[in-house]
Amino acid sequence: MTEEILEPELPIIDPHHHLWDLRPLVPAFPEPRHAFIEAIAGAAYYTFDELHADTHSGHNVVGTVFMECGAFYDASRADALKPVGEVEFVNGVAAQGASGLYGDYRPCAAIIGHADLARGDGVRPVVEALLAAGNGRFKGIRHAGAWDADPEVLGPPFHAPEGLYAADSFREGFAAYADYGLTFDAWLLEPQLGDVLDLARAFPDQQIVLDHCGTPLGIACYRGKQHERFDSWRRSMRALAECPNVAVKLGGLAMAFCGLPEDGPDKGHGSEHLAGLWRPYIETCIEAFGTDRAMFESNYPVDRWGASYPVLWNAFKRLATGHSEDEKRALFAGTAARIYDIEHVLDLPAASA
């Protein structure tokens, strides 16, 4: 699917994408492959060149935020410190982008890594090692809590412990982590949104970013139930929005988990169709959180299930049509720049084009 790029000059900071090499792993997943694995199998190798190609496919992407995904861990380190390898790798990608060879473009200007908060106070040396590895670009961690009683929802790669965010060991680690003034990205599923609400209320000074509109579900036992579950999802999101320390990422709806669309990977749906599918979720989030606590995200290459990179951002631009220019700048770049502390990216010439 190719489309004319809408508002091609609008600066974008993509606040959520991954880098990985899954080529040694994908063949090991059982057949038939879970829809999530089917989506990423077509982008099993995704590093600087692949990211550069997507972010330069028509939209004015001036910078990005890398989101941890368990890639490039350092096998030589102790288990707790293995995630430092991911930040070291991504910092190299960021340095490549900042070299000036690729113009005023700053991939991975912020890096979100991983530390196991269930280690309690023992998470401190891990966070300090991540800070050192990031060389000023490390801005926070994500510790995913996604779980569902139906194992077919998430498939083989995931399954955090049930109730992770409420566990005593996790809360001890979260309290220690809060001392560093970094961000925390939360990924869990719509039926679990009460868990992140409790966490946000317990730590009102900790910046939390909820990924993927809270991940409404349309897969496995939830298939076809988006409409009947919408009111429950909306109540949860409005309750979260009452916590001033919570922001939301507007995206992830093209994941296979959400079923919006049901068919993929990238079956060629146009941006008008995708915007129609996503509108109830995106508009609810913006209404609840406001443009100063909401940011559009690509979640690439996971969201290639539903859309190509340029079509994805066209859909977002259609959804933002009714907003002012200032509100659009917040949704597409400003909110991400502020929350992830990379406002310097918006001072580069490409951002003011």
Side-chain angles (χ1 to χ4, degrees):
M1 168 64 66
T2 58
E3 294 184 352
E4 179 181 353
I5 301 297
L6 304 176
E7 299 182 73
E9 301 304 317
L10 179 65
I12 293 170
I13 291 177
D14 183 348
H16 195 113
H17 70 83
H18 308 292
L19 302 172
W20 55 41
D21 185 357
L22 302 176
R23 293 173 297 181
L25 303 178
V26 169
F29 286 107
E31 298 282 353
R33 292 195 295 220
H34 187 277
F36 172 81
I37 301 301
E38 197 63 31
I40 65 174
Y45 186 72
Y46 196 85
T47 56
F48 180 90
D49 289 346
E50 292 72 26
L51 177 68
H52 186 274
D54 280 333
T55 53
H56 288 74
S57 55
H59 296 282
N60 183 23
V61 180
V62 298
T64 77
V65 177
F66 168 82
M67 183 56 53
E68 67 85 26
C69 53
F72 304 110
Y73 277 20
D74 186 345
S76 70
R77 286 183 162 106
D79 286 350
L81 292 168
K82 288 186 190 311
V84 176
E86 182 175 54
V87 172
E88 289 175 333
F89 173 83
V90 177
N91 191 50
V93 171
Q96 183 177 355
S99 67
L101 295 172
Y102 308 91
D104 296 309
Y105 165 63
R106 296 296 181 265
C108 309
I111 300 172
I112 306 304
H114 173 72
D116 182 2
L117 294 179
R119 293 181 178 274
D121 199 62
V123 77
R124 291 182 186 275
V126 181
V127 175
E128 288 160 13
L130 292 167
L131 282 163
N135 194 32
R137 296 186 177 101
F138 176 74
K139 303 297 182 180
I141 68 165
R142 178 171 74 165
H143 191 155
W147 175 90
D148 194 82
D150 181 355
E152 296 302 315
V153 171
L154 289 167
F158 298 115
H159 306 288
E162 181 181 4
L164 173 66
Y165 289 176
D168 290 344
S169 58
F170 181 92
R171 291 293 180 96
E172 182 185 353
F174 202 88
Y177 177 70
D179 290 343
Y180 290 89
L182 300 164
T183 64
F184 177 77
D185 266 69
W187 181 50
L188 70 179
L189 310 179
E190 174 265 317
Q192 302 175 274
L193 287 174
D195 293 356
V196 75
L197 177 62
D198 290 345
L199 186 67
R201 288 172 172 170
F203 296 89
D205 296 324
Q206 172 62 51
Q207 176 67 66
I208 296 173
V209 183
L210 177 65
D211 295 346
H212 313 329
C213 296
T215 315
L217 295 173
I219 194 173
C221 64
Y222 298 93
R223 186 175 299 277
K225 297 182 179 180
Q226 294 97 327
H227 181 75
E228 67 183 76
R229 297 189 64 85
F230 182 81
D231 286 345
S232 174
W233 169 85
R234 180 169 54 190
R235 284 193 297 271
S236 294
M237 296 302 288
R238 287 175 173 173
L240 275 165
E242 293 176 3
C243 301
N245 58 321
V246 179
V248 65
K249 286 181 177 172
L250 308 172
L253 298 172
M255 291 190 292
F257 305 125
C258 303
L260 300 165
E262 284 192 343
D263 56 336
D266 189 12
K267 293 297 186 181
H269 296 290
S271 60
E272 288 189 67
H273 176 68
L274 293 171
L277 292 176
W278 302 342
R279 187 176 303 280
Y281 298 97
I282 298 296
E283 289 186 347
T284 296
C285 286
I286 296 175
E287 178 185 350
F289 286 86
T291 59
D292 62 335
R293 289 194 290 142
M295 61 190 93
F296 286 114
E297 54 157 338
S298 78
N299 191 33
Y300 238 65
V302 178
D303 277 33
R304 68 182 298 276
W305 172 265
S308 68
Y309 197 89
V311 167
L312 188 80
W313 287 100
N314 264 1
F316 292 153
K317 289 176 178 179
R318 291 185 187 279
L319 289 165
T321 298
H323 290 277
S324 70
E325 292 305 309
D326 285 345
E327 289 171 334
K328 287 181 185 179
R329 284 189 165 266
L331 290 167
F332 285 93
T335 299
R338 186 187 75 255
I339 287 177
Y340 288 115
D341 189 28
I342 51 171
E343 290 177 299
H344 64 279
V345 172
L346 294 178
D347 295 330
L348 297 171
S352 57

